[in-house]
Amino acid sequence: MTYREVLHNVSFDEIVPLISRFDNGKENLASYKMLYDYLCHLHPEEQADKDKATTIHMLPSNEKRPEILLFDEYPNMTVWQDSLTRDLLLEPDIKGTLAEIAAHCLWAASFYGFTEYQVEAGYHKSTGHYSQELYRFLKIYNHHIPTIKEMLTIRAFHDKIKREIKDHRSFHPRKMDKGWEPSYLRKRNWRYWKRKEIKKEYTSNIYLKGSFIENLLVHGQNLIEPPTMKELSVLFKSSHCQIERWQTYTYNAAKRYGYFRDLIEKYNLLPTISLPNSFICISTSEKFPLVIEELELVTLIVGKRTGSNLFCIKTDNTLGEELRIDAAFYTV
């Protein structure tokens, strides 16, 4: 049975109880739901992994965890389309159900992210593309982006660097065996690592926020006036910021509203987001525009947030019948 056939032979509700075995499984139910629906509707590349097979083994349970399934070679989950035709072969001692196998496949697929957007961002981070984008954003939003020195005055940013330093020291204690490394080298390497860590965190911070702002102001066509650059620039200096992208995978415009309500009410889309301020952008295609009922989603997302909550509506013809919500939640 192929990876695609496994997904098509179980419903997501059968998988839900099993996802809680994974780290943060309950908190990410909505993300797993979107990934499941995306993969079920994705057309596989016929020649990609067709002649390859993955053998599944059982790792016995112990006092700390239940039994789990292991793959001898995980399908190429960073290119999901290439892996759907790969055969999954079960070892004779495997007694797991299709739902268990499907749950582990989804977990493997989410290693780099739950959406194409997250996977692409992770790829850019690993290849150094973040640095290239940083210089581009510094050029475009020069007067709105704080310097590294200014960022270090932001409590949350400074505390994150301190945590990284503490973790680093736990693996690299100051007192080493004599002769292992001269003290002057330790100090020099330590300063180098600290500067590198600050630059990495700064680059990641500006890239994610700059990408969100660029999407609101540049990509697609705004149907109502979007927030101004002055209003959006608060993200660069925010203490905490959580950027999300959610999309329906119904392939039917009439079902978009119900799909998002299920994500919110049934699959816990919002409980982990407690930041009081937000920017929300709803995008649909020109052929399947936003309907009045779907505007209620903004009210559901904002909920009881007491801060500044601004939203805009855009057209993006790449969406077809789907609806996408880009949101940034933050504290000043």
Side-chain angles (χ1 to χ4, degrees), residues 88-226:
L88 301 177
L89 306 178
L90 274 65
E91 287 285 287
D93 60 333
I94 297 293
K95 298 179 182 179
T97 63
L98 282 180
E100 289 177 304
I101 297 170
H104 281 81
C105 285
L106 282 179
W107 173 80
S110 67
F111 188 78
Y112 290 100
F114 293 98
T115 65
E116 290 179 295
Y117 173 78
Q118 291 176 345
V119 171
E120 183 181 2
Y123 175 77
H124 286 167
K125 186 175 183 178
S126 65
T127 58
H129 186 70
Y130 269 22
S131 297
Q132 299 174 27
E133 290 294 284
L134 171 65
Y135 295 121
R136 188 170 69 85
F137 288 137
L138 285 172
K139 187 176 181 180
I140 299 172
Y141 308 126
N142 181 36
H143 300 296
H144 301 285
I145 296 177
T147 64
I148 291 179
K149 189 174 182 179
E150 290 170 332
M151 284 288 282
L152 284 169
T153 64
I154 299 173
R155 179 71 177 271
F157 183 87
H158 185 265
D159 287 348
K160 188 166 185 180
I161 297 299
K162 283 179 67 176
R163 287 195 300 271
E164 293 293 336
I165 291 172
K166 186 176 180 180
D167 290 342
H168 184 76
R169 278 182 172 160
S170 67
F171 291 103
H172 300 81
R174 290 179 176 180
K175 292 183 179 179
M176 299 287 186
D177 293 335
K178 288 185 178 180
W180 186 83
E181 187 181 42
S183 60
Y184 75 91
L185 279 181
R186 284 206 304 274
K187 291 178 181 178
R188 187 178 67 185
N189 291 340
W190 176 255
R191 289 194 298 269
Y192 167 77
W193 177 87
K194 185 177 179 181
R195 287 194 299 269
K196 185 178 179 181
E197 194 63 33
I198 292 172
K199 179 66 179 296
K200 183 180 75 172
E201 185 60 31
Y202 177 79
T203 302
S204 175
N205 207 298
I206 301 303
Y207 173 83
L208 293 174
K209 295 171 182 177
S211 296
F212 176 83
I213 292 172
E214 185 177 55
N215 179 63
L216 255 65
L217 298 180
V218 179
H219 299 159
Q221 179 182 355
N222 286 293
L223 299 181
I224 64 172
E225 193 68 25

Side-chain angles (χ1 to χ4, degrees), residues 256-322:
R256 297 186 311 206
Y257 175 74
Y259 186 91
F260 251 109
R261 291 240 18 172
D262 281 347
L263 291 180
I264 294 171
E265 297 173 355
K266 189 176 179 181
Y267 300 116
N268 304 321
L269 181 66
L270 299 174
T272 58
I273 303 172
S274 58
L275 305 179
N277 309 292
S278 66
F279 294 107
I280 299 171
C281 177
I282 303 181
S283 303
T284 58
S285 65
E286 286 183 289
K287 188 175 180 180
F288 300 96
L290 193 72
V291 298
I292 294 176
E293 182 185 42
E294 291 167 341
L295 283 174
E296 185 186 339
L297 295 172
V298 176
T299 304
L300 291 174
I301 293 170
V302 171
K304 298 180 180 179
R305 300 181 202 284
T306 56
S308 170
N309 295 282
L310 304 178
F311 81 98
C312 63
I313 301 173
K314 301 184 69 168
T315 59
D316 182 347
N317 290 325
T318 64
L319 287 170
E321 296 189 57
E322 305 306 332

